[in-house]
Amino acid sequence: MKVFDLIISEYLDYFFIKKRSPGLIRKLKQLAIKARREAIESYQKLKPPKIVPQDIYIENWIRDVVSLYLASRTINQTRIDNPPPDLQASVKFHLAFPPQLQTELRKRFFKTELKKRPSIWRSFQLPVKELEKKFKDVVKEKQKLAQKRGFSSYLDFFLWRYKIPKSDYQLFTNRIDQIIEFLNQSLSDIKSLPEGFYSRFNIPCFLCLSAQFPFRNFSEVIDWVVKQNPYLARFQNRIDLKFESRDSQLLYVKEADRFKIILDKNINFRHQVLELIHELSHLISYLESFNQGINPRVKGCYWREKEALRTEWNILRNAPAPLFHGLLSELLLSIREVLFEIELYAYPDQNLSQLYARTFNRCFKEARQRNNPLYLLDRGIIYSPFRSLSHIVGCYVLMTQ
């Protein structure tokens, strides 16, 4: 019952449910008791060797049930024609620039060869200034909502949600330029870059520069990673690959005691390989944690990203050059995204095209951009702010240890 109380209290805090009536607590405990019984029955049916220890398996099953129930209670139906006061700016922006439209424009834009992208961008006829104003209103709205919940800022909210120590974040902000310099030096031996490589209409990709690539299919990738890690070899046949129009992700299917890796079907094979290695690194860190009796879910997003990065770095630092260079350039792009978001949410009333260019130049030392409106096509910045925060702060901490 003490474990039930801890889990219930954690998720009540997570969903900002302050009204905790005896009836609600009683209902959650009933759900937890039922979930425990279902988890035990399910675990007994699993075939050995079992991936997850029984106590962690049961705890996570209970967490799933409690969090799903509370999430369903906190979802509010928002009428587009009459949104609540704290969501009006978000609704107005989404009506002006729906996610489906952004996805379609992004696909069309980056499928076009570089020299034709300026004309493609003009053909979109996006009202950039109007969208920028509406987006700034969204940023301010999110700041107010975070402050209403007791946080100093929207960024502070994510530090809490991801369980990032403020001391780690402060070190990151004070010394991130050292990591940027290290990453640039590591990429400096690549010469003869294509014309316009650092232009505002291009996303610099060192992964795709090489004519040679070490893998022909995903089975070769998994075999290569397995050879480097004994924890993964035992459960290699428990990995399923799926391809969807979404960010890559690792999921545990508790009813089958299997892992599912989802890869973004809209990126090319080389990038899918890099994403697959990252998700396999998460899987390896999970298996190592289970072996030590540690529940990664309890540790939080920041801890999980740090552990996966530690494994990924060990795998890729001795990998063929295209993979290692690809990792470095992807880190720089993620750092740029995070730096842009930090400055955006600290000072929303600034020229965002200039900010996007300035943070790019800070990360890629050879770049000379003056303004760049393509932040509007950046899915993370527009619709999933601070999605890379745990990843990048964890990267900094690992590289400076």
Side-chain angles (χ1 to χ4, degrees):
M1 294 305 295
K2 288 182 180 180
V3 173
F4 291 167
D5 289 341
L6 288 172
I7 292 174
I8 290 169
S9 177
E10 178 183 337
Y11 282 105
L12 287 170
D13 290 340
Y14 185 86
F15 290 106
F16 302 102
I17 298 175
K18 295 182 179 179
K19 188 176 180 181
R20 305 179 180 188
S21 64
L24 174 60
I25 301 300
R26 185 166 55 252
K27 173 65 175 178
L28 292 173
K29 287 186 177 181
Q30 289 172 351
L31 289 171
I33 292 170
K34 182 182 177 183
R36 181 180 181 276
R37 183 170 62 251
E38 292 172 343
I40 293 173
E41 292 174 358
S42 176
Y43 195 81
Q44 290 173 345
K45 295 176 183 178
L46 300 179
K47 296 179 180 180
K50 299 177 182 181
I51 298 175
V52 184
Q54 180 170 318
D55 56 342
I56 296 177
Y57 184 92
I58 294 170
E59 179 183 353
N60 285 344
W61 190 299
I62 296 169
R63 286 176 172 276
D64 286 341
V65 170
V66 171
S67 63
L68 181 61
Y69 178 78
L70 291 177
S72 67
R73 285 174 53 94
T74 57
I75 293 174
N76 297 317
Q77 296 294 328
T78 300
R79 290 183 55 183
I80 298 298
D81 59 344
N82 186 29
D86 56 359
L87 288 177
Q88 288 188 3
S90 295
V91 169
K92 288 178 180 178
F93 179 78
H94 278 67
L95 286 173
F97 196 47
Q100 299 87 343
L101 174 61
Q102 192 217 40
T103 299
E104 177 60 28
L105 295 181
R106 188 173 62 248
K107 285 182 181 178
R108 287 171 54 192
F109 185 82
F110 288 111
K111 282 184 177 179
T112 305
E113 58 181 308
L114 181 57
K115 65 181 181 181
K116 294 182 179 180
R117 287 179 190 172
S119 61
I120 287 290
W121 175 256
R122 290 192 296 270
S123 74
F124 293 161
Q125 295 184 333
L126 288 176
V128 174
K129 290 185 178 180
E130 178 185 338
L131 290 176
E132 179 173 304
K133 182 180 182 305
K134 291 182 183 295
F135 184 54
K136 288 177 180 179
D137 290 339
V138 173
V139 170
K140 295 173 185 177
E141 183 178 78
K142 289 179 178 177
Q143 290 280 50
K144 289 180 181 178
L145 183 59
Q147 291 167 354
K148 184 178 178 181
R149 289 174 171 174
F151 300 96
S152 61
S153 66
Y154 197 55
L155 169 62
D156 189 42
F157 161 70
F158 278 101
L159 294 177
W160 169 80
R161 173 148 287 185
Y162 294 154
K163 298 186 179 181
I164 302 175
K166 290 189 177 180
S167 57
D168 284 8
Y169 173 74
Q170 197 61 52
L171 285 172
F172 161 78
T173 55
N174 290 342
R175 302 177 184 175
I176 186 56
D177 287 301
Q178 297 175 11
I179 298 300
I180 292 173
E181 185 64 31
F182 164 76
L183 294 174
N184 274 267
Q185 287 180 357
S186 300
L187 292 169
S188 63
D189 59 334
I190 302 177
K191 308 298 182 183
S192 302
L193 296 175
E195 184 178 353
F197 190 70
Y198 291 118
S199 76
R200 66 176 185 161
F201 289 124
N202 188 47
I203 296 178
C205 179
F206 289 84
L207 181 63
C208 298
L209 287 179
S210 174
Q212 302 296 322
F213 195 67
F215 302 111
R216 294 169 297 178
N217 54 59
F218 297 110
S219 294
E220 289 183 352
V221 179
I222 296 175
D223 289 342
W224 179 72
V225 175
V226 165
K227 287 178 181 177
Q228 301 180 63
N229 195 283
Y231 287 102
L232 190 58
R234 192 180 184 200
F235 299 105
Q236 182 177 357
N237 63 344
R238 304 279 192 91
I239 302 171
D240 299 315
L241 291 184
K242 301 292 181 182
F243 300 87
E244 300 179 12
S245 294
R246 55 182 289 187
D247 290 339
S248 298
Q249 187 179 11
L250 173 69
L251 299 173
Y252 174 68
V253 184
K254 60 181 183 290
E255 296 83 359
D257 196 31
R258 300 180 67 87
F259 278 98
K260 178 167 67 174
I261 295 178
I262 298 172
L263 298 177
D264 186 349
K265 68 179 183 180
N266 297 313
I267 59 179
N268 67 32
F269 174 70
R270 292 189 180 193
H271 284 272
Q272 288 173 337
V273 167
L274 200 60
E275 293 291 329
L276 174 57
I277 292 172
H278 179 72
E279 300 307 332
L280 288 172
S281 299
H282 271 294
L283 176 49
I284 291 167
S285 71
Y286 283 8
L287 295 175
E288 291 174 344
S289 298
F290 296 152
N291 192 50
Q292 299 171 41
I294 297 172
N295 188 346
R297 187 163 173 179
V298 176
K299 295 295 235 176
C301 179
Y302 177 61
W303 184 90
R304 295 193 297 270
E305 283 298 325
K306 269 202 310 181
E307 293 306 305
L309 278 165
R310 190 192 313 276
T311 301
E312 184 179 16
W313 186 262
N314 289 334
I315 291 172
L316 290 179
R317 65 181 175 181
N318 297 317
L323 280 172
F324 184 63
H325 290 150
L327 172 64
L328 301 184
S329 61
E330 290 298 307
L331 286 174
L332 281 170
L333 288 169
S334 294
I335 291 171
R336 182 273 191 94
E337 182 179 295
V338 169
L339 293 178
F340 178 88
E341 290 167 339
I342 290 171
E343 290 199 42
L344 166 65
Y345 281 86
Y347 310 103
D349 287 322
Q350 58 179 306
N351 186 310
L352 301 190
S353 293
Q354 290 180 4
L355 174 62
Y356 202 54
R358 188 168 68 249
T359 50
F360 184 87
N361 296 343
R362 183 177 175 184
C363 292
F364 294 92
K365 298 303 183 181
E366 299 299 318
R368 298 292 184 270
Q369 294 184 12
R370 293 186 178 182
N371 65 79
N372 189 336
L374 293 191
Y375 70 90
L376 289 169
L377 299 185
D378 192 316
R379 181 171 54 190
I381 287 171
I382 300 298
Y383 298 112
S384 304
F386 294 112
R387 65 176 180 175
S388 299
L389 186 63
S390 289
H391 186 83
I392 293 307
V393 177
C395 172
Y396 166 78
V397 171
L398 280 177
M399 287 188 174
T400 54
Q401 284 180 343

